[in-house]
C-alpha cells in the first residue's frame, strides 16, 4: 500500500443530537462534577465506581453476519424471526474493577411466567409492564437489587454513573434512597453516552454482536421455528456470558477517563462534530458576555511612529498593515466578535501570509435543537446533591398543586353541566301539566302529560286517539 497508515472503515452512525450534545463545554462540566466528588477522598478504589445502563433486546437480530456468495447474485437473504420483533429491556451494571451485577430483564408483560425466566443468567431479576421499557417503579426495584449486592456504607461508599433518562433523574424516591445508602449518583450530559458511558463504549457492542450470532445459530438449528419472547432469556444469557468479561468493564472505565480519572481523556479532534453547531455554550446561563470597550486612540509624540489602528469591520482581515521602514510586516489581529482568522493561522510568508482553508471558507453553522416549551435543557448533574434534590422536590410539589387545580376545574365543569341539565329538565317538567283523560275508544280514565299535542295514547288499550283542544278541530269538524 502507498499509505499503510490508512484503512477502509465503516463509519458509525452519529445523530445530529449526539454531534451537538458531545461538546467541550458539556464534557468539561461533567468532569468538574466528577472531580469535585473525588476531591472528598471517599472514592479511592475501582470497586466503588459503578455504571448502569439499559439496552433494548429484540427477537430479531440487529446485526447480520457476512456470508459467501457467487458473484453476480443480486440478492442474498437470511432468515429472521419477524419483520420487526418484540422489544424487551435489559438493565446491566458493571464496575471499574471488572465485576458485573446480575442483570434485570423487563418484558412487555403484566405477569412474569416461568417460561420467561428459563435460561437467564444466574441471579437475574425480572419485571414487566405493557411497554417493556424502564419505568420509575421498576428502576427502584432494580436499585434495591443493586444495594443488596454492593452493600455500600459510610466507610465504603459508591459512586454511580447513569444517563439522563426520566426514570433516573425524575425519580425522587430513588434519590432519597441513594442518599440514605451512601450512593453518589452523577448523570451524563445529554446525547453523550456514546463517548462517556463505560457500558456503551466497551460492552453494548459485543453484547449486540453476540446476541445476533446466538439468534442466527438458533434459527439454523431449528429450521422453520421463530424466536419468541419466551426464548429471550436463554439466548440473552448465552450472549451475556460471552460479553461480560472483566476486560470489557475495565476498558470501558479507562476509555472514558472515569477510572483512572483523566479529565483530559478526549482531544480536540474528538469534538470536531460539534464545530458545525452553535451549542458550545448551551449549558451555560444565557447571559451576555461583557463587550470590550473600544480602543482609545493615542496621539503620537513628536519623533515617534504612529501606532496603526485596529482594522474596522469593513477592512479586510487578510490585508497586512503597512510595515514600518526597516521592520517586518505585522499581521492584523481580528477584533472581538471576528473569528475569521486566528492569530496562530497568520504567519509571515515570502509574498504575504499563509491562511488555513477554514479561515477562507468557515464551516457552516447550524442552529441548536429546539427545546419543547415547558422543558428545561438538561446537563450533567449530581442527582444526590442538596441543590438538585430540593429543586426536584419543588417541581414535584408544583405538579401536585397543578393536578389539584386541574381536578378542581374538572369538578367545577362537571358540576356546572349537571346543574344546567337539571335546570332544563325541571323547567321542561314545569311546563307540562298532568291531566286526567278519558279514552275515546275503551272509555278508561288515565293520567296524561298535556304537552299541547292533539293526540293522546291510552295506557289501557295502547291506542292513539285525537283529542280536540278547541272548537275548530278540522279532524272532528267540531
Amino acid at each position: 500500500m502507498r499509505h499503510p497508515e490508512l484503512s477502509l472503515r465503516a463509519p458509525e452512525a452519529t445523530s445530529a443530537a449526539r454531534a451537538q450534545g458531545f461538546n467541550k463545554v458539556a464534557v468539561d462540566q461533567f468532569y468538574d462534577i466528577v472531580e469535585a466528588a473525588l476531591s472528598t477522598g471517599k472514592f479511592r478504589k475501582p470497586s466503588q465506581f459503578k455504571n448502569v445502563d439499559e439496552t433494548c433486546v429484540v427477537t430479531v437480530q440487529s446485526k447480520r453476519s457476512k456470508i459467501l456468495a457467487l458473484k453476480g447474485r443480486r440478492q442474498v437473504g437470511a432468515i429472521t424471526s419477524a419483520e420487526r420483533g418484540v422489544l424487551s429491556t435489559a438493565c446491566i451494571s458493571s464496575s471499574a474493577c471488572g465485576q458485573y451485577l446480575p442483570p434485570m430483564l423487563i418484558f412487555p408483560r403484566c405477569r412474569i411466567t416461568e417460561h420467561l425466566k428459563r435460561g437467564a443468567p444466574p441471579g437475574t431479576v425480572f419485571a414487566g409492564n405493557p411497554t417493556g421499557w424502564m419505568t420509575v417503579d421498576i428502576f427502584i426495584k432494580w436499585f434495591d437489587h443493586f444495594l443488596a449486592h454492593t452493600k455500600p456504607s459510610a466507610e465504603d461508599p459508591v459512586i454511580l454513573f447513569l444517563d439522563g433518562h426520566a426514570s433516573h433523574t425524575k425519580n425522587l424516591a430513588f434519590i432519597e434512597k441513594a442518599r440514605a445508602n451512601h450512593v453518589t449518583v452523577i448523570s451524563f450530559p445529554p446525547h453523550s453516552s456514546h463517548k462517556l458511558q463505560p457500558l456503551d463504549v466497551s460492552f453494548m457492542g459485543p453484547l449486540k454482536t453476540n446476541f445476533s450470532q446466538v439468534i442466527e445459530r438458533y434459527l439454523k438449528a431449528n429450521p422453520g421455528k421463530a424466536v419468541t419472547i419466551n426464548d429471550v432469556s436463554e439466548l440473552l444469557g448465552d450472549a451475556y456470558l460471552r460479553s461480560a468479561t472483566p476486560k470489557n468493564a475495565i476498558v470501558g472505565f479507562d476509555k472514558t477517563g472515569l477510572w483512572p480519572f483523566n479529565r483530559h481523556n478526549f482531544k480536540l479532534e474528538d469534538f470536531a462534530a460539534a464545530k458545525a453547531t452553535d451549542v458550545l455554550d448551551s449549558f451555560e446561563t444565557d447571559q451576555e458576555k461583557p463587550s470590550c470597550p473600544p480602543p482609545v486612540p493615542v496621539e503620537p509624540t513628536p519623533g515617534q511612529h504612529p501606532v496603526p489602528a485596529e482594522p474596522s469591520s469593513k477592512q479586510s482581515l487578510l490585508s497586512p498593515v503597512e510595515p514600518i521602514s526597516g521592520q517586518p510586516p505585522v499581521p492584523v489581529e481580528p477584533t472581538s466578535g471576528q473569528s475569521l482568522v486566528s492569530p496562530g493561522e497568520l504567519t509571515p510568508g515570502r509574498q504575504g501570509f499563509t491562511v488555513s482553508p477554514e479561515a477562507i471558507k468557515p464551516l457552516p453553522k447550524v442552529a441548536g435543537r429546539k427545546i419543547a416549551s415547558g422543558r428545561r435543557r438538561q446537563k450533567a448533574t449530581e442527582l444526590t446533591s442538596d441543590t438538585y434534590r430540593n429543586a426536584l422536590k419543588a417541581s414535584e410539589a408544583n405538579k401536585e398543586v397543578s393536578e389539584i387545580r386541574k381536578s378542581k376545574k374538572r369538578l367545577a365543569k362537571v358540576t356546572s353541566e349537571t346543574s344546567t341539565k337539571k335546570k332544563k329538565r325541571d323547567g321542561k317538567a314545569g311546563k307540562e301539566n298532568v291531566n286526567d283523560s278519558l279514552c275515546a275508544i275503551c272509555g278508561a280514565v288515565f293520567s296524561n302529560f298535556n304537552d299541547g299535542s292533539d293526540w293522546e295514547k291510552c295506557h289501557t288499550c295502547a291506542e292513539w286517539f285525537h283529542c280536540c283542544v278547541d272548537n275548530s278541530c278540522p279532524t272532528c269538524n267540531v
Side-chain angles (χ1 to χ4, degrees):
M1 293 180 62
R2 184 175 297 180
H3 298 282
E5 70 277 4
L6 300 180
S7 62
L8 188 63
R9 300 282 299 276
E12 296 182 6
T14 302
S15 63
R18 291 187 183 274
Q20 296 179 15
F22 186 73
N23 56 75
K24 194 173 186 335
V25 175
V27 173
D28 287 344
Q29 185 182 22
F30 168 71
Y31 282 126
D32 289 340
I33 297 174
V34 178
E35 189 173 10
L38 297 182
S39 62
T40 59
K42 299 179 181 179
F43 308 103
R44 298 179 179 179
K45 299 182 297 183
S47 59
Q48 296 176 300
F49 290 76
K50 309 288 184 180
N51 177 219
V52 60
D53 189 25
E54 297 91 6
T55 184
C56 61
V57 180
V58 189
T59 55
V60 175
Q61 58 267 37
S62 59
K63 299 181 180 180
R64 293 171 180 84
S65 302
K66 295 182 179 181
I67 62 175
L68 294 175
L70 294 175
K71 289 185 177 181
R73 292 289 299 271
R74 295 298 181 183
Q75 292 183 348
V76 179
I79 296 296
T80 60
S81 300
E83 295 291 338
R84 298 180 60 182
V86 182
L87 183 142
S88 305
T89 301
C91 185
I92 301 168
S93 177
S94 65
S95 65
C97 64
Q99 296 177 347
Y100 291 86
L101 195 71
M104 167 184 271
L105 293 180
I106 306 171
F107 293 105
R109 294 290 186 273
C110 295
R111 186 171 60 90
I112 303 299
T113 62
E114 294 299 325
H115 293 285
L116 295 175
K117 301 180 180 180
R118 183 180 55 197
T124 303
V125 291
F126 301 88
N129 62 63
T131 62
W133 290 89
M134 176 65 76
T135 62
V136 172
D137 297 333
I138 294 178
F139 189 72
I140 294 177
K141 179 180 179 181
W142 173 87
F143 190 64
D144 293 335
H145 172 66
F146 173 82
L147 295 176
H149 284 79
T150 57
K151 296 181 174 60
S153 60
E155 296 77 17
D156 189 21
V158 169
I159 182 169
L160 179 63
F161 298 97
L162 42 73
D163 56 32
H165 193 263
S167 61
H168 309 158
T169 58
K170 306 301 180 183
N171 195 339
L172 185 59
F174 157 66
I175 294 175
E176 295 287 0
K177 186 171 290 188
R179 289 168 57 93
N181 289 274
H182 312 284
V183 179
T184 301
V185 183
I186 298 178
S187 65
F188 297 107
H191 307 296
S192 62
S193 60
H194 63 296
K195 294 284 189 178
L196 293 176
Q197 183 147 236
L199 285 171
D200 274 350
V201 171
S202 63
F203 179 79
M204 294 303 180
L207 178 66
K208 292 296 181 66
T209 302
N210 290 329
F211 185 64
S212 298
Q213 293 176 356
V214 169
I215 292 179
E216 290 178 355
R217 288 197 299 269
Y218 178 86
L219 295 175
K220 292 178 181 179
N222 301 274
K225 187 176 180 181
V227 177
T228 64
I229 194 173
N230 293 327
D231 304 319
V232 169
S233 294
E234 184 175 1
L235 299 179
L236 182 66
D238 189 359
Y240 179 82
L241 295 179
R242 293 171 180 266
S243 308
T245 61
K247 181 180 179 180
N248 285 343
I250 295 173
V251 168
F253 281 87
D254 183 32
K255 293 293 184 181
T256 55
L258 297 179
W259 180 267
F261 180 71
N262 180 17
R263 66 174 304 138
H264 304 290
N265 183 62
F266 298 101
K267 301 179 181 179
L268 292 178
E269 54 265 25
D270 295 325
F271 305 105
K275 277 190 173 183
T277 63
D278 290 326
V279 295
L280 292 181
D281 57 347
S282 60
F283 294 90
E284 297 178 348
T285 56
D286 297 330
Q287 298 178 354
E288 295 184 359
K289 297 181 180 180
S291 58
C292 299
V296 180
V298 180
E299 294 294 334
T301 57
Q304 292 183 354
H305 293 285
V307 180
E310 294 187 359
S312 61
S313 58
K314 298 182 180 180
Q315 184 178 355
S316 174
L317 293 175
L318 301 181
S319 59
V321 181
E322 292 296 331
I324 305 173
S325 58
Q327 296 183 2
V330 180
V332 179
E333 295 287 344
T335 58
S336 60
Q338 297 176 344
S339 60
L340 185 60
V341 183
S342 61
E345 294 173 342
L346 289 174
T347 56
R350 181 172 299 177
Q351 296 180 353
F353 300 102
T354 58
V355 184
S356 65
E358 185 178 356
I360 299 175
K361 188 176 181 180
L363 291 173
K365 297 290 185 178
V366 297
R369 300 177 68 229
K370 294 182 179 180
I371 302 298
S373 59
R375 295 183 59 186
R376 297 183 61 185
R377 190 182 297 275
Q378 296 182 358
K379 56 183 180 180
T381 313
E382 183 182 346
L383 303 183
T384 50
S385 62
D386 294 333
T387 303
Y388 185 84
R389 171 174 168 266
N390 295 335
L392 186 59
K393 275 189 172 182
S395 176
E396 293 291 336
N398 293 336
K399 286 183 180 179
E400 292 181 0
V401 172
S402 177
E403 289 296 330
I404 292 174
R405 290 177 179 175
K406 290 180 180 179
S407 300
K408 288 183 177 180
K409 288 182 179 179
R410 287 194 296 266
L411 180 61
K413 184 178 180 180
V414 171
T415 304
S416 177
E417 292 177 353
T418 305
S419 177
T420 303
K421 291 180 180 179
K422 184 178 180 182
K423 288 180 180 179
K424 289 182 179 179
R425 187 170 61 251
D426 293 344
K428 185 177 181 181
K431 294 180 181 178
E432 296 174 349
N433 298 320
V434 181
N435 298 324
D436 290 336
S437 300
L438 179 64
C439 179
I441 299 176
C442 65
V445 179
F446 63 93
S447 297
N448 185 32
F449 287 96
N450 186 9
D451 55 355
S453 176
D454 296 343
W455 293 90
E456 294 182 359
K457 183 178 181 180
C458 178
H459 294 179
T460 303
C461 62
E463 295 290 341
W464 286 91
F465 65 93
H466 189 270
C467 178
C468 299
V469 179
D470 51 15
N471 295 328
S472 60
C473 179
T475 303
C476 300
N477 295 322
V478 179

